[in-house]
Amino acid sequence: MVIPARAVHGADAARGTANTPEMLIRRVGRGDEEAFAELYDIVAGPVLGIATRVLRDHARSEEVTMDVLMEIWQRAPEFDAQRHRVLPWAMTVAHRRAVDRVRAAEADTRCDSHAGQSELRWCFDEIVETTLDRIEHDAVRRSLDELTELQRRSLVLAYYGGYTDNEVSEALDKPVGTVKARMRDGLIRMRDAMAGQP
């Protein structure tokens, strides 16, 4: 599948569209490249943003973005727009792919730096890394438990679900300003809680 030239240059963004991503992905599933061009304009920016936050490398982030857009094209026929929303799903895919890239790069570096060392040392390093990841995960979970329900739900939707502020507002039926304030307060409380944990 070739990405439409119009999508690459973002010409559709200027004219705007009333179609929702869920409406567009149905058409994409039928092979409609015009719909894909519109969907591209909606999804590409947020996907590139989350990939860049994880990878901190623009070239690799662009590669992940293209991978995600190809996956959207390929999986559109089976996508259930009644059960899922396109943008949060795309953001989740982007986050997962970017994290996979980071882990692969770390594994390559680890293999290079451990060349000539015993397999026992490599296994020990893997166990330590897994344990530290679990400790960090547990610390985050404990600090989330300290938040109010609105703070916790807002942060989970935004950081784990990939929702925008407006989407979190809509999902929780709260004003955008309230949602932003609760997320800010929640992050401050989490930072303080994690700083005080052993």
Side-chain angles (χ1 to χ4, degrees):
M1 196 283 304
V2 176
I3 292 174
R6 250 185 38 201
V8 173
H9 298 297
D12 277 349
R15 76 168 188 179
T17 179
N19 291 324
T20 67
E22 288 69 34
M23 292 165 59
L24 291 168
I25 202 165
R26 287 191 197 99
R27 290 170 48 201
V28 173
R30 296 190 296 268
D32 185 336
E33 291 193 7
E34 287 285 319
F36 184 69
E38 291 186 40
L39 188 58
Y40 181 105
D41 288 333
I42 295 169
V43 170
V47 165
L48 178 62
I50 198 165
T52 303
R53 281 199 299 275
V54 173
L55 293 167
R56 304 199 182 284
D57 178 282
H58 193 72
R60 290 195 302 156
S61 300
E62 285 181 334
E63 290 172 8
V64 166
T65 301
M66 295 309 294
D67 289 346
V68 172
L69 290 163
M70 288 300 297
E71 182 168 345
I72 290 172
W73 175 262
Q74 292 165 350
R75 293 181 60 186
E78 65 199 47
F79 188 83
D80 186 352
Q82 299 295 325
R83 296 180 56 208
H84 304 287
R85 297 178 68 188
V86 175
L87 189 56
W89 169 70
M91 299 283 280
T92 301
V93 172
H95 186 266
R96 189 176 337 125
R97 283 180 177 269
V99 168
D100 287 346
R101 290 277 183 119
V102 170
R103 287 180 178 155
E106 287 174 350
D108 288 346
T109 302
R110 190 165 47 245
C111 286
D112 290 346
S113 66
H114 289 196
Q117 294 184 8
S118 70
E119 186 175 331
L120 180 62
R121 174 66 187 171
W122 181 82
C123 290
F124 176 77
D125 288 347
E126 287 294 304
I127 291 167
V128 168
E129 182 178 332
T130 301
T131 303
L132 290 174
D133 285 347
R134 184 167 294 135
I135 289 169
E136 182 178 333
H137 174 76
D138 289 345
V140 170
R141 189 172 39 79
R142 284 196 305 271
S143 63
L144 277 170
D145 289 342
E146 300 295 318
L147 304 181
T148 67
E149 172 135 2
L150 181 55
Q151 288 171 336
R152 182 171 51 255
R153 290 179 67 196
S154 298
L155 288 170
V156 168
L157 287 172
Y159 288 92
Y160 293 100
Y163 282 44
T164 65
D165 292 342
N166 287 335
E167 289 172 332
V168 173
S169 168
E170 183 181 319
L172 299 179
D173 195 27
K174 299 288 182 188
V176 175
T178 301
V179 165
K180 287 182 178 180
R182 295 304 172 270
M183 285 197 285
R184 184 194 64 235
D185 295 346
L187 286 171
I188 291 169
R189 286 182 67 179
M190 285 181 69
R191 182 197 63 201
D192 294 345
M194 290 177 73
Q197 290 178 16

